[in-house]
Amino acid sequence: TARAVKRVRARHRLALTGTPIENRLAELWSIFDFLMPGLLGSYSSFRERYELGIVGGDEALSERLRRLVGPFVLRRLKADVLTDLPDKLESVVRVPLEGEQRKLYAASEQRLREELNRQKKMNASRGKRSGAITDADVGPRVEGLAELTRLRQMALDPGLVFEDYRGGAAKLGAIMDLVEQARQSGQKMLLFSQFTTFLDEVAQRLDEEGVAYYVLTGSTPKKRRLQMVDAFNADDTPVFLISLKAGGTGLNLTGASVVVHADPWWNAAAQNQATDRAHRIGQKSDVSVYKVIAAGTIEERIVELQQKKADLADAVIGAAGAEQLSGLTREQLLELLG
């Protein structure tokens, strides 16, 4: 798509985006390669001149790049243009894992940590440059990423990984408490998760409690999505369960004033966009946003990583972003595991 756009012949070029650095600095380079080819040089030279140093924490380089692109960037915050928009109140709900869930999670995390350290030592013995990825790494790397996903699922509920697990899930109980609080205060809730299987578990608990809800996932037909959105904004259904990728953009759900993120995503921008399904034009109430985090797990380190990458993007252009999982080095993966 980028190559096709860059072939368009035009007298004037503009780029419009809410996330100029959503995943990595290469995205900013690509935008300017369309707008003003040559300003930032080729990508290889941009990477050597700016990206590697800035990712490594070079504040002087960040400032130099900011001064270079700043004159060509017009940034407008929601607070600047929607002055009468109600407040957005964000809080983190840390939930400690207990009993069997804690034991299973700890054992799986330790096994992955040992495997990553083993791979690191093997690479060191071969004299391989740290962080470099070769064809031989692809299999183990993919397996490592799959194991990280398993850890995230176990932080939610080990039942998402082990069919015969019956030991309970701490975060499910915490989320049901938030549902009850919202209902008692007469507020409607959006609940986001990346895992549709977890949404199924929440739906089962809501059925048991006699709480009405809607569910929107990637398999929901477009026509049905619009029908549910209109119905939710108009009726008294208290909960809307939404998969993050399917419902993170393009929906107007101002009928809700409570947003719950059941699990953190690697990219904070995706969660912010999901929150903005409720915190947008038409919202009349303050919006309470709860990020439910399993204490002492990879989820806490994901939140820390989000903040580091948000600081990086803010230093260059003032827009929050976060590194995608696919862009992490082995050392960063180990850091996620503490």
Side-chain angles (χ1 to χ4, degrees), residues 283-303:
Q283 180 58 259
K284 304 300 183 184
S285 304
D286 290 346
V287 176
S288 298
V289 183
Y290 299 96
K291 299 177 182 179
V292 185
I293 303 297
T297 71
I298 190 174
E299 291 190 339
E300 286 198 326
R301 269 91 74 183
I302 290 174
V303 172

Side-chain angles (χ1 to χ4, degrees), residues 38 100 131 160 187 195 283 300 307:
E100 189 67 18
L160 302 180
Q187 296 176 291
F195 301 104
Q283 180 58 259
E300 286 198 326
Q307 188 58 52

Side-chain angles (χ1 to χ4, degrees), residues 16-285:
L16 176 65
T17 176
T19 49
I21 306 176
E22 184 174 359
N23 303 313
R24 52 186 60 85
L25 281 176
E27 296 169 342
L28 181 65
W29 172 86
S30 186
I31 291 173
F32 273 88
D33 192 48
F34 160 75
L35 287 173
M36 307 173 70
L39 178 70
L40 299 181
S42 66
Y43 176 62
S44 59
S45 66
F46 174 79
R47 176 175 170 78
E48 292 295 328
R49 184 180 302 171
Y50 293 106
E51 187 170 21
L52 294 177
I54 291 174
V55 171
D58 191 324
E59 295 182 2
L61 270 183
S62 297
E63 176 62 18
R64 187 186 306 171
L65 180 57
R66 189 192 66 78
R67 290 200 307 265
L68 180 59
V69 301
F72 310 105
V73 176
L74 173 63
R75 185 190 182 205
R76 307 188 78 186
L77 300 176
K78 183 187 293 186
D80 297 332
V81 295
L82 298 177
T83 54
D84 58 345
L85 194 65
D87 289 337
K88 179 172 64 174
L89 312 172
E90 296 185 307
S91 59
V92 175
V93 179
R94 286 183 167 81
V95 182
L97 303 187
E98 299 176 348
E100 189 67 18
Q101 183 179 16
R102 177 75 257 176
K103 293 178 183 178
L104 281 172
Y105 177 88
S108 297
E109 185 179 68
Q110 179 62 24
R111 185 173 63 250
L112 179 55
R113 184 185 296 110
E114 291 173 353
E115 175 60 23
L116 288 169
N117 279 319
R118 184 185 67 81
Q119 293 177 18
K120 184 178 180 180
K121 290 178 181 178
M122 288 177 58
N123 287 332
S125 67
R126 297 200 304 262
K128 182 177 171 186
R129 182 170 60 86
S130 176
I133 303 299
T134 67
D135 290 345
D137 291 314
V138 173
R141 185 176 177 82
V142 170
E143 291 175 6
L145 299 183
E147 286 299 316
L148 283 177
T149 299
R150 284 167 56 88
L151 281 182
R152 294 175 58 231
Q153 289 175 315
M154 281 191 280
L156 274 170
D157 183 353
L160 302 180
V161 178
F162 305 107
E163 291 185 5
D164 58 348
Y165 176 77
R166 297 293 184 272
K171 289 180 72 171
L172 183 57
I175 287 171
M176 291 305 298
D177 288 343
L178 290 173
V179 169
E180 183 59 26
Q181 291 175 24
R183 291 181 64 205
Q184 289 183 0
S185 61
Q187 296 176 291
K188 302 176 73 168
M189 171 188 291
L190 308 181
L191 173 61
F192 291 96
S193 174
Q194 286 102 58
F195 301 104
T196 57
T197 47
F198 183 70
L199 294 180
D200 291 339
E201 293 197 359
V202 177
Q204 182 177 339
R205 284 289 298 271
L206 292 174
D207 286 334
E208 294 171 359
E209 299 291 333
V211 179
Y213 59 89
Y214 293 110
V215 182
L216 190 156
T217 67
S219 62
T220 307
K222 184 176 180 179
K223 184 176 181 180
R224 176 57 181 157
R225 295 184 187 199
L226 297 176
Q227 291 173 342
M228 286 193 296
V229 167
D230 290 341
F232 179 79
N233 286 330
D235 65 22
D236 58 358
T237 302
V239 181
F240 206 141
L241 308 178
I242 308 174
S243 63
L244 187 70
K245 291 186 178 180
T249 59
L251 302 178
N252 186 340
L253 291 164
T254 52
S257 56
V258 177
V259 178
V260 175
H261 291 284
D263 39 273
W265 182 235
W266 303 97
N267 192 321
Q271 288 184 245
N272 293 336
Q273 288 175 334
T275 296
D276 287 347
R277 299 315 94 214
H279 191 244
R280 60 192 296 115
I281 294 174
Q283 180 58 259
K284 304 300 183 184
S285 304

